Amino acid sequence: MTVISSNNDNGIPYYTGTAAQLYDLRKDYLQARWAQESLSDEEKAFLTAQEEDITTPFIYRYCGSYKSILATFTILSVMVSFLTAVCIPPVSAEEHSRKTDQIILCTRFGRRPAFLAKLFTAVIFSVAAALLLFISFAVPSFVIYGTEGFSAQIQFHILDCTWKLTAGQSVLILLGISIAAAIMLGCASLYLTEHFRSSIPAMGVLIGFLLISSFLNIPGQFRVLSQIWSYCPAKLISVAGGLIDHRLVPFFGTYLASYQVGLFIYLVLAFLFAFGGYFVWRRWQAGGR
């Protein structure tokens, strides 16, 4: 067996092998990861084809700011989830707490226009929260580390990423998922508020889901459950969940990556929550108090 790494006088490991040995090591590591994630032969073949599209040898380009921003997305997802859970339900439930919901529903604009206004407010708040948090993370990173490196090859910094992406594209992908998740969380907050007609249960459900999804991990041996659970915002909006999760979803003869599936799921759930909230709000007058 060829030894391709060693330690210098300071005890710091460094690479001493050839370029071919280095890429073989990466290939073996990816194969082990794919086996650990219980990928099918078809998924492995698809990922192998994606690997062939990646430019080699990997070319180093400085991208310190983008690496720093990528590391903050986990915090961003938690903060957006918390803000939507705390801020949206109290405002949305105000007419229920003040016992004015029946009066509002009897007015000319008390049904669809009133609900659309509430929905617009919830979505705008959640998206604005995500964007402002992203800006608060991105601006200091650009000031400290500079703006260069948008087109840097991501594999040089995230070795087990099998997608042909740059550092800047990786940031934009996670930002897009964050915005979609914010829309979904805003609609979910509104639906839960209308369902319970109170802000406290809605806040409890959202914060409880945030805590559970942040700390609970389903073992990879349970492939279906583990993969579904990985689409929770606290899991997906991160480098580990969005960029280096190799589990795929079949889609009309091809496969979709986790970040593609997650984006679609969030938008579909946002529509369902919005429609469900409107249905509950519209029928509330018939049920009375």
Side-chain angles (χ1 to χ4, degrees), residues 3-283:
V3 178
I4 60 173
S5 63
S6 183
N7 293 328
N8 58 16
D9 295 336
N10 296 323
I12 301 175
Y14 63 95
Y15 181 73
T16 60
T18 64
Q21 289 174 318
L22 175 63
Y23 291 113
D24 287 341
L25 274 180
R26 179 177 179 272
K27 182 178 179 180
D28 294 340
Y29 171 72
L30 288 176
Q31 293 288 344
R33 277 286 307 272
W34 296 347
Q36 184 180 10
E37 293 173 337
S38 303
L39 301 188
S40 64
D41 293 337
E42 291 77 11
E43 289 176 309
K44 293 178 182 178
F46 180 83
L47 292 174
T48 301
Q50 299 300 310
E51 281 287 314
E52 294 175 354
D53 292 337
I54 297 176
T55 303
T56 54
F58 298 158
I59 300 174
Y60 173 79
R61 287 191 61 186
Y62 176 78
C63 59
S65 58
Y66 295 96
K67 289 175 59 180
S68 175
I69 295 171
L70 286 172
T72 63
F73 273 102
T74 301
I75 302 174
L76 185 147
S77 67
V78 172
M79 294 184 68
V80 169
S81 300
F82 182 78
L83 287 173
T84 54
V86 172
C87 298
I88 294 178
V91 177
S92 302
E94 186 174 3
E95 64 272 8
H96 296 300
S97 61
R98 295 179 180 273
K99 313 299 183 183
T100 60
D101 44 9
Q102 296 293 298
I103 298 176
I104 294 174
L105 283 166
C106 291
T107 62
R108 178 182 177 185
F109 300 108
R111 289 177 178 268
R112 182 181 300 175
F115 181 81
L116 290 178
K118 296 170 67 173
L119 178 63
F120 179 79
T121 302
V123 170
I124 289 298
F125 173 83
S126 56
V127 172
L131 290 176
L132 289 175
L133 286 170
F134 173 76
I135 292 173
S136 69
F137 294 143
V139 170
S141 296
F142 287 137
V143 171
I144 296 172
Y145 301 108
T147 59
E148 61 180 312
F150 183 92
S151 58
Q153 192 173 5
I154 195 63
Q155 280 75 24
F156 201 95
H157 306 281
I158 305 176
L159 192 63
D160 44 353
C161 181
T162 58
W163 310 110
K164 189 177 181 180
L165 299 172
T166 66
Q169 290 172 340
S170 301
V171 169
L172 293 178
I173 286 173
L174 291 185
L175 176 60
I177 300 174
S178 301
I179 293 174
I183 296 173
M184 184 266 293
L185 290 170
C187 294
S189 300
L190 184 58
Y191 168 76
L192 291 172
T193 302
E194 297 302 334
H195 177 75
F196 293 111
R197 303 183 184 94
S198 174
S199 61
I200 302 301
M203 293 170 60
V205 170
L206 292 169
I207 294 178
F209 178 76
L210 170 62
L211 294 175
I212 293 173
S213 61
S214 298
F215 295 104
L216 177 63
N217 293 313
I218 298 179
Q221 293 84 347
F222 305 99
R223 168 65 189 269
V224 176
L225 290 177
S226 177
Q227 189 167 359
I228 292 174
W229 190 246
S230 69
Y231 296 134
C232 297
K235 302 290 185 185
L236 184 63
I237 306 175
S238 65
V239 172
L243 299 179
I244 60 176
D245 188 342
H246 303 112
R247 293 172 295 187
L248 307 173
V249 174
F251 184 77
F252 293 103
T254 185
Y255 287 94
L256 298 179
S258 58
Y259 64 85
Q260 296 169 321
V261 177
L263 181 66
F264 176 76
I265 290 175
Y266 291 161
L267 294 179
V268 170
L269 287 177
F271 174 80
L272 294 177
F273 281 129
F275 181 80
Y278 175 68
F279 181 78
V280 173
W281 169 255
R282 185 179 179 87
R283 287 178 56 88

